[in-house]
Amino acid sequence: MSIVDDSEANVRRRVAELAGIREKVRRGPGARATEAQLAKGKLTVRERIGLLLDEGSFTEIEGLRRHRATGFGLEDKRPYTDGVVTGWGTVYGRTVFVYAHDFRIFGGALGEAHASKIHKVMDLAEAAGAPLVGLCDGAGARIQEGVTALAGYGGIFRRNVRNSGVIPQISVVLGPCAGGAAYSPALTDFVFMVRGTAQMFITGPDVVQAVTGEEITHEALGGADAHAGVSGVASGAYADEESCLDDVRYLLSLLPSNNRELPPHEPSSDPADRRTERLLDLVPADPSRAYDMRRVLEEVVDDGEFFEIQPAWATNVICALTRLDGHVVGVVANQPASLAGVLDIDAAQKASRFVQTCDAFSIPLVTLVDVPGFLPGVAQEHGGIIRHGAKLLYAYCDATVPRVQLILRKAYGGAYIVMDSRSIGADVSLAWPTNEIAVMGAEGAANVIFRREIAAAEDPDAVRAQKVKEYRNELMHPYYAAERGLVDDVIDPAETRSRLIGALAMLRSKDAPVPSRKHGNPPQ
C-alpha cells in the first residue's frame, strides 16, 4: 500500500514540477529583460502570438528545448525555448503555424537548437498544408555557435523555397533582422514591418560607412518606410504591432490554407447585381485627366473593402486582394493619379510578383486597364525595362487562374498587351465606351504617319488637328477592338460589378492544363 502511495506522491510531485517549469517557460528570462523589451516599444513574444492567433488557440511545441552548445560561457546559460517560440493555433478558426523570436533570450539570435525548432514547425506547416507566419525579432546568427548557426539558416531558406507556392508564408519584422536572417523574409510571400523598431538589411550602417563612407541611420537604411516605399521589400509599414498583426490576420482571411484549396468564400450582403452608377462621374472621359483608381475599386468590390499590397511602392500600379460576391480575387490596376498610370521598372516588378502569387494560390485575377504605355527614358532602358516588363508579360502568360480584363480608358502600345490582353490569354475582355486601344495616342500617331504632310502644310497646326481627328475616328473609336474580337463586349460602366461577377462565376471551374516541364525560365 505504501508503495502505491509513494508512487502517487511521486507522480503528483512530477506534475507539480512540470507546472512550475511551464510557468517558467511562459514568463521568459525575467522581469528586467521584459522591461527592456517594453521600453523599446516592443511587445513580448507571447503577447505578439496572442494578437496574431485566436484567443486561447495556441499550442506550443518544444517549449522545453535548450541548446547543447559549449564554450564562451554558453554552457552556463541554457534558457528554455532557446530564444524562439514555435507552435500552431487558429486565425478565424483556420490552422496557422507560427514561430516567433524572443529578443529577451540571446537577442533572438539563431543557434542550432533555435534553428531546429523553426525547421520542425516549417515541416509541420508543410505536412498539414497550413500557412506559416514568422515573427522576426532577432540579432542574426549566434556567433558563439559558429558554422552550425549558419547551417541552421540554410535549412530555413531551403524550406522557404520548397514551400513557395505550396503554403502561404508571411514574415512580420518587429525588430532587427540583419545579415543572413534577412533572406528568409525575402523568400516569403509577404513581408510586414513596424516603424521605429523593425530594421532589415544585409550590412548595417557601421559597415556601410566603413566601406563606402556613407553615413546613414538604421531606420533610413533598413527601416519599415525604406523597405515599404523605396526598396519594395516590404508589403506594408505600420505604426504599431497591434495594427500590423491585425492586418496579417486580415490577409490570412483572404488566402487559402495551401495550393490545393480555393480561397475562403464568405457570403456577401452586397448585391451581385448592384449598379455602379457613381463610376460615370468618378472617371473623366478625357484620357489626359487623372483620377484615383482606388475610388473605382471601392465602388466595384464587396462593401468597398480591399487589402492593398505594397501601397507605398510603385504607386503607379495598384495590387490588391478583395472579394466580389464573396469570392476572393486579385486586382491589378493602373493608377492614373501616379505618373499617369504608366508602367515602369518598379511597377512591372510589383505587378508580376502579385500575379504569380495569385496564380500560385488559385486566386482569380481582374485587371483594370488605363495605361498610356511604358515610361520612356535612358534610366529606364539602362535599368532593364525590357526584362522587367517581360516579367509581367511572363507572369500573365503563365497564369492559369480565371483572368478578366476591363479597359476603362486608354490602353496604348506594348503596355496594352502586357496588361492581360486577350492576345496573351485573358479569358474575358471587357471595355467601357470610353476605351481607346491603339499603338499610341492619336497625337503621336498622327505626327508619325502624316509627318511630311503636316510639315508641308501652310497651316501645320490645323492639318495636324485634322489628322489627329481622322486617326481617332478610324482606329481609336471605342468599338474598333470589339469589332475585331479583341474585346468581348463594350459595357455600361454602371454594369461593371455585375459583369465582372458574372464572368468570374462562369470561369470558376476553369481548367487550363500546362505543358509538361520541370519549370519555366522567367526573365530576371
Side-chain angles (χ1 to χ4, degrees), residues 14 62 83 114 124 143 184 208 211 234 253 262-263 271 298 363 380 442:
R14 292 297 176 89
E62 295 201 8
H114 183 121
L124 283 173
I143 300 172
S184 179
V208 169
V211 174
S253 76
L262 294 175
E298 289 172 356
I363 299 172
Q380 288 289 306

Side-chain angles (χ1 to χ4, degrees), residues 184-339:
S184 179
L187 290 169
T188 59
D189 300 304
F190 303 95
V191 180
F192 294 80
M193 298 183 71
V194 173
R195 296 186 181 97
T197 57
Q199 291 103 34
M200 186 164 49
F201 35 67
I202 300 301
T203 54
D206 294 340
V207 176
V208 169
Q209 183 175 4
V211 174
T212 70
E214 298 170 286
E215 293 186 17
I216 191 168
T217 65
H218 286 78
E219 190 70 14
L221 179 64
D225 288 320
H227 285 307
V230 181
S231 72
V233 171
S235 306
Y238 295 84
D240 52 64
E241 296 187 17
E242 291 85 354
S243 60
C244 178
L245 292 170
D246 188 56
D247 261 8
V248 174
R249 286 175 56 86
Y250 181 36
L251 174 60
L252 285 166
S253 76
L254 295 167
L255 298 173
S257 293
N258 56 65
N259 66 339
R260 301 181 302 278
E261 296 182 5
L262 294 175
H265 171 260
E266 290 187 358
S268 175
S269 59
D270 194 346
D273 60 354
R274 172 173 58 81
R275 289 179 62 80
T276 50
E277 300 281 358
R278 189 162 174 262
L279 294 178
L280 298 170
D281 300 317
L282 276 176
V283 181
D286 181 354
S288 65
R289 288 183 58 192
Y291 63 94
D292 189 348
M293 185 66 82
R294 291 187 181 91
R295 305 290 83 81
V296 174
L297 274 180
E298 289 172 356
E299 183 66 19
V300 172
V301 304
D302 290 359
D303 303 310
E305 295 182 357
F306 58 91
F307 185 79
E308 190 171 351
I309 308 298
Q310 298 176 305
W313 183 61
T315 55
N316 41 324
V317 69
I318 294 172
C319 297
L321 292 172
T322 186
R323 282 189 167 90
L324 283 169
D325 196 29
H327 295 275
V328 177
V329 298
V331 176
V332 178
N334 304 116
Q335 172 57 297
S338 176
L339 293 176

Side-chain angles (χ1 to χ4, degrees), residues 58-62 84-88 98-100 117-118 121:
F58 181 58
T59 298
E60 186 172 358
I61 56 172
E62 295 201 8
V84 63
V85 178
T86 58
W88 71 86
V98 61
Y99 68 87
K117 290 181 65 175
I118 297 176
V121 79

Side-chain angles (χ1 to χ4, degrees), residues 437-467:
I437 306 173
V439 175
M440 62 178 67
E443 289 79 6
N447 286 335
V448 172
I449 298 171
F450 307 109
R451 180 178 65 255
R452 293 180 181 175
E453 188 174 343
I454 292 171
E458 291 184 6
D459 187 349
D461 290 339
V463 173
R464 181 182 294 107
Q466 178 188 349
K467 296 304 181 183

Side-chain angles (χ1 to χ4, degrees), residues 315-462:
T315 55
N316 41 324
V317 69
I318 294 172
C319 297
L321 292 172
T322 186
R323 282 189 167 90
L324 283 169
D325 196 29
H327 295 275
V328 177
V329 298
V331 176
V332 178
N334 304 116
Q335 172 57 297
S338 176
L339 293 176
V342 71
L343 286 178
D344 62 1
I345 288 172
D346 288 348
Q349 288 183 312
K350 174 179 172 178
S352 62
R353 169 74 168 174
F354 181 74
V355 168
Q356 289 173 327
T357 301
C358 289
D359 188 53
F361 293 113
S362 302
I363 299 172
L365 287 161
V366 173
T367 304
L368 305 181
V369 184
D370 191 346
V371 61
F374 282 94
L375 181 65
V378 174
Q380 288 289 306
E381 295 295 344
H382 288 184
I385 186 63
I386 294 173
R387 60 187 172 87
H388 290 296
K391 290 179 183 178
L392 181 53
L393 182 61
Y394 188 101
Y396 268 125
C397 290
D398 200 43
T400 60
V401 292
R403 292 154 52 188
V404 179
Q405 179 199 48
L406 173 64
I407 303 167
L408 283 68
R409 298 193 310 185
K410 56 190 176 296
Y412 297 157
Y416 154 68
I417 302 172
V418 168
M419 290 296 291
D420 204 20
S421 64
R422 281 296 301 272
S423 59
I424 67 168
D427 298 295
V428 174
S429 178
L430 304 172
W432 285 1
T434 47
N435 82 82
E436 291 185 354
I437 306 173
V439 175
M440 62 178 67
E443 289 79 6
N447 286 335
V448 172
I449 298 171
F450 307 109
R451 180 178 65 255
R452 293 180 181 175
E453 188 174 343
I454 292 171
E458 291 184 6
D459 187 349
D461 290 339

